Amino acid sequence: MKTMYRAALMAAAFVLLLPLSARSEIKEGSIEVTPFGGYNFFQDKQNLKDRPVFGGRLGYNFTNRFGIEGAVEFMKSRVNDKTLTNVKEGQFASPMDSVKVTFYHVDAVYHFMPESNFTPFVVAGIGGAHYSPKNSDHDMTAFNVGVGRNTG
């Protein structure tokens, strides 16, 4: 378990501290390919532990401020309360322990200062979540929001 946290911390430090030679430009008609990392907070009723998440995005900017992107995220979680009984659809319980989750979504993106070297943005979208092992006979709808920054 500590190995996973160390690897995530090292990857985050590498991405944030590595000087990039390519210039990030947000302009009309541009396409973006972005690896990312984050942290996922599950609803209590799902009975899963909150965990780091990693993935990638492919985006298109309609203007220098507005864009759309598709994303895929991967994470591995664990059952939070193993004593839970009377499990409902969408919940996880013992004897399951490890749960792999794949999120996929489409997001709207707004860049606040597209002309600067430091460009904060917000994203919001809708998608789905696929769990393995399954806890439902269909993928679940997922809503997401996020913040970030582009540097260049």
Side-chain angles (χ1 to χ4, degrees), residues 49-141:
K49 292 184 179 183
D50 301 338
R51 289 284 197 231
V53 62
F54 303 94
R57 295 183 185 103
L58 177 63
Y60 178 78
N61 293 310
F62 296 105
T63 70
N64 67 343
R65 291 197 183 265
F66 292 102
I68 191 168
E69 61 187 25
V72 178
E73 306 174 24
F74 305 96
M75 69 174 298
K76 188 174 179 181
S77 186
R78 296 182 117 24
V79 172
N80 195 28
D81 179 1
K82 294 181 183 175
T83 63
L84 184 67
T85 57
N86 299 324
V87 177
K88 298 174 183 154
E89 184 179 33
Q91 284 186 321
F92 291 88
S94 201
M96 285 185 230
D97 186 32
S98 179
V99 178
K100 293 179 183 177
V101 186
T102 304
F103 297 108
Y104 47 90
H105 47 93
V106 176
D107 302 319
V109 183
Y110 180 79
H111 299 99
F112 288 100
M113 301 178 300
E115 297 83 17
S116 80
N117 287 336
F118 178 83
T119 308
F121 64 86
V122 294
V123 298
I126 187 169
H130 174 78
Y131 296 86
S132 179
K134 285 186 170 191
N135 65 344
S136 175
D137 60 351
H138 59 279
D139 287 358
M140 296 181 190
T141 302

